[in-house]
Amino acid sequence: MNALTRFSRNRTSLLLILVIVLLVVFAGLIGAELYTRHTADSKVADAVQCEVQDSATVSFAATPPVLWQYINSHYTNISVQTAGNQIRSAKGMTLNLNIHDVNLNGSGNSKGTIGSLNGTITWTTDGIKESIQDAIPVIGNLVTSKVTTNPSDGTIKLKGLLDSATVKPQLADNGLSLQVVDLSALGSKMSTDTVQKNLDDLTSKATKNYPLGIHADSVKVTDSGVEATFSTQNATIPASSSSSQDSCFDNL
């Protein structure tokens, strides 16, 4: 075997070893990326599920890799969607979130910051009906029949066998409110004040006192229900605390 042949074979062997090493490294990076993405998805989903009391799916931006974002503790874009079963006590509510510029290089009383968070809540007419029937038995007679919407004047009609009410979704105390604009209580002794108080209790539990300064920006009536937008800017993620109202974010 001449020297040229030996050199050629050695060179081929070295190239083969190099290719194998690169493939192993590449496979390791892919595995680490998939594991990191899964872990990050789970942590964000758990935080959202804790807050809204419904299951959620999470996705991170394709680039940069989540592994790189994890190393830098800086996440660019995160999307979240809940299953649509409920938000807290309100049935039939779905939440879609877009979260940008999450920086987890925190210190002291802060885990980090969120540059911006924008969300949309949709509440179906069937969900409104079920929520009132389940959460507010005293006015359940208002929705034994159906719930219909009127997008042109921004109202919702609650219809029962004898009783009915017209309500108008509005912003109130950083959340949503169903304001009674008309009440016809033929089959009961319900007053407008009683109905309003019970509706306020329902919407307050479902849409107010969100963490991170999240607040309602707009609300409108659609053909299928209610749609509201929520947001927060430059929010501080609190450090872990068993007494914090933001305890759902302890495991981030």
Side-chain angles (χ1 to χ4, degrees):
M1 182 182 299
N2 58 45
L4 181 60
T5 301
R6 288 197 301 270
F7 175 77
S8 178
R9 288 187 176 180
N10 289 338
R11 184 180 180 185
T12 300
S13 298
L14 289 172
L15 287 175
L16 181 59
I17 292 171
L18 179 60
V19 169
I20 292 174
V21 170
L22 290 175
L23 287 175
V24 170
V25 171
F26 185 65
L29 289 173
I30 291 178
E33 168 67 12
L34 292 176
Y35 175 79
T36 305
R37 186 175 289 271
H38 173 73
T39 301
D41 286 353
S42 298
K43 285 184 176 293
V44 175
D46 287 346
V48 174
Q49 288 169 189
C50 171
E51 187 62 45
V52 305
Q53 299 167 27
D54 193 11
S55 59
T57 55
V58 177
S59 62
F60 285 74
T63 56
V66 174
L67 180 59
W68 178 256
Q69 297 181 65
Y70 170 76
I71 291 172
N72 290 279
S73 296
H74 185 200
Y75 300 86
T76 54
N77 298 291
I78 307 171
S79 298
V80 184
Q81 180 171 329
T82 63
N85 298 307
Q86 64 188 49
I87 293 181
R88 297 173 175 172
S89 59
K91 306 298 183 181
M93 270 192 178
T94 303
L95 172 64
N96 284 279
L97 283 177
N98 289 300
I99 309 169
H100 305 283
D101 192 22
V102 179
N103 191 326
L104 296 182
N105 291 298
S107 62
N109 295 323
S110 169
K111 282 190 173 182
T113 58
I114 294 176
S116 66
L117 179 150
N118 296 282
T120 300
I121 284 178
T122 54
W123 196 9
T124 64
T125 52
D126 286 342
I128 295 170
K129 176 180 178 179
E130 185 180 358
S131 299
I132 293 175
Q133 288 177 330
D134 288 355
I136 321 175
V138 70
I139 62 171
N141 289 336
L142 287 173
V143 286
T144 56
S145 179
K146 60 182 179 178
V147 173
T148 57
T149 63
N150 188 343
S152 62
D153 66 4
T155 61
I156 300 171
K157 184 79 168 184
L158 311 177
K159 180 70 174 176
L161 183 62
L162 295 174
D163 305 321
S164 66
T166 302
V167 299
K168 188 178 182 69
Q170 295 180 349
L171 302 182
D173 299 326
N174 294 324
L176 302 183
S177 172
L178 297 177
Q179 293 294 314
V180 178
V181 296
D182 181 64
L183 176 66
S184 176
L186 301 178
S188 66
K189 297 180 179 180
M190 291 184 294
S191 67
T192 299
D193 289 343
T194 299
V195 174
Q196 187 64 66
K197 180 182 183 303
N198 282 273
L199 290 175
D200 286 346
D201 288 343
L202 170 64
T203 54
S204 178
K205 292 175 182 177
T207 68
K208 296 179 183 179
N209 299 317
Y210 283 131
L212 308 175
I214 299 172
H215 57 274
D217 295 315
S218 68
V219 60
K220 67 178 180 180
V221 175
T222 67
D223 291 334
S224 58
V226 176
E227 182 178 297
T229 61
F230 287 73
S231 70
T232 190
Q233 304 286 327
N234 301 317
T236 298
I237 303 172
S240 300
S241 171
S242 59
S243 62
S244 170
Q245 69 171 356
D246 303 315
S247 58
C248 288
F249 295 85
D250 280 354
N251 293 323
L252 284 180

